Amino acid sequence: MATYNKRGYKTPKEKEVKEVVTEEQQVIIDEKDSTTAGVFSKLDETASRTEDWVAKNQKIIIGLVAGIAVATIGYLAYQKFIATPKQEEAASEMFVAQQNFEKAVNGVSSDSLFKLSLNGSEGKFGFIKIADEYSGTDAGNLANYYAGIAYLNTGKFDEAIKYLGEFKSEDVILSALAKGATGDAYSQKNQQKEALDFYVKAAESNKNDFTTPRFLLKAGKTALALGQKEDALKYFNDIKDNYDSTPEAASVDALIGLAQ
């Protein structure tokens, strides 16, 4: 069936939908745009200031970078071309001195061999020269220890104290032995208070079955000689309680009796 429109009839148009933005929404949008713009503006300002600072201080920055590079290269070069060869040279120089020292310790012409180890022989330096010429190397440091022990064994107690004081080591045994030997030097000088201080330091520097009871025993005897019986008893009891299987423990009971 045909459908006819009446005259003058118009097909209704779809309603136009307009998005209405309220004033409140407009304010929010404006604020977001403003905040974002502000952030970018600040970033631009910061970047600009940074660029200006870099431009103004470019010479300083380049100088610092160059300085760090030179220092690094210098350190590596020093290690490769100076420190390592110097250490090897010092070790080579010390070989003869060590041999003389070991023979002296074993009782073969002790005094003369200790002196040779100190002063040098066969065209090689002794410990004194090595400690001086190669200070800063491991060999030079170790030469201080050897020199101190050699002087102690030849009755030069002040020199022994000096060289043993120069010796520094992370080896706990050698470090304890150096402190204990310093105590021996003071004891030989009849400076018992100083000797006791170093014996205690030696005993406490590292707890082990070798050096600890050895220097506890010396500390106890020295304290006993100074009339410090309470301290002496403490050192002797430490040996009895904690180091009973060591040689020092064999005679400690009698000493405990004297300290009581």
Side-chain angles (χ1 to χ4, degrees):
M1 177 185 294
T3 302
Y4 299 96
N5 294 327
K6 293 181 181 180
R7 181 178 298 177
Y9 176 82
K10 294 183 179 179
T11 303
K13 295 181 180 179
E14 294 181 3
K15 292 181 179 180
E16 294 180 2
V17 180
K18 293 185 178 179
E19 184 177 352
V20 179
V21 179
T22 66
E23 289 183 5
E24 183 178 350
Q25 289 173 320
Q26 183 65 45
V27 169
I28 293 171
I29 292 169
D30 289 344
E31 284 180 352
K32 287 181 179 178
D33 290 344
S34 176
T35 301
T36 303
V39 169
F40 281 110
S41 176
K42 287 181 179 179
L43 288 174
D44 288 342
E45 290 176 7
T46 301
S48 178
R49 286 197 298 270
T50 302
E51 289 172 0
D52 290 343
W53 186 88
V54 171
K56 290 178 181 178
N57 298 278
Q58 190 171 13
K59 290 183 179 180
I60 296 174
I61 294 170
I62 292 172
L64 287 173
V65 173
I68 293 169
V70 168
T72 302
I73 293 169
Y75 172 78
L76 295 174
Y78 173 81
Q79 290 297 317
K80 182 176 181 180
F81 298 111
I82 299 175
T84 300
K86 194 173 183 180
Q87 169 64 24
E88 292 173 353
E89 184 180 330
S92 175
E93 285 286 346
M94 196 159 66
F95 178 72
V96 173
Q98 284 177 311
Q99 282 190 321
N100 288 327
F101 181 90
E102 288 169 9
K103 289 177 183 177
V105 170
N106 292 326
V108 182
S109 303
S110 295
D111 284 351
S112 60
L113 284 170
F114 275 129
K115 289 175 183 177
L116 286 176
S117 72
L118 285 165
N119 301 312
S121 63
E122 300 179 32
K124 295 292 185 180
F125 290 160
F127 295 131
I128 298 171
K129 193 75 171 179
I130 293 168
D132 181 45
E133 293 286 329
Y134 299 100
S135 62
T137 68
D138 292 340
N141 181 48
L142 189 57
N144 285 310
Y145 174 79
Y146 280 121
I149 301 299
Y151 273 127
L152 179 63
N153 280 276
T154 53
K156 303 291 183 66
F157 305 121
D158 288 329
E159 289 86 347
I161 292 167
K162 173 190 171 185
Y163 279 95
L164 288 168
E166 294 292 327
F167 174 68
K168 302 292 183 293
S169 178
E170 294 181 1
D171 185 293
V172 292
I173 300 296
L174 275 181
S175 179
L177 289 174
K179 290 181 176 70
T182 304
D184 290 340
Y186 276 115
S187 180
Q188 291 295 323
K189 284 167 58 68
N190 201 30
Q191 294 179 230
Q192 300 305 325
K193 290 182 179 179
E194 290 81 358
L196 178 57
D197 287 341
F198 275 95
Y199 288 145
V200 173
K201 288 177 183 178
E204 294 179 346
S205 64
N206 176 64
K207 301 292 186 179
N208 63 78
D209 289 344
F210 174 55
T211 60
T212 306
R214 176 179 180 177
F215 295 118
L216 280 173
L217 186 63
K218 290 191 176 189
K221 288 180 177 179
T222 305
L224 199 59
L226 289 168
Q228 300 174 11
K229 288 189 173 183
E230 187 176 342
D231 288 336
L233 187 60
K234 178 179 66 175
Y235 302 136
F236 295 144
N237 279 329
D238 195 351
I239 296 172
K240 183 177 177 64
D241 295 339
N242 300 303
Y243 305 96
D244 61 332
S245 61
T246 63
E248 289 77 12
S251 61
V252 79
D253 284 335
L255 291 168
I256 289 174
L258 290 174
Q260 287 177 333

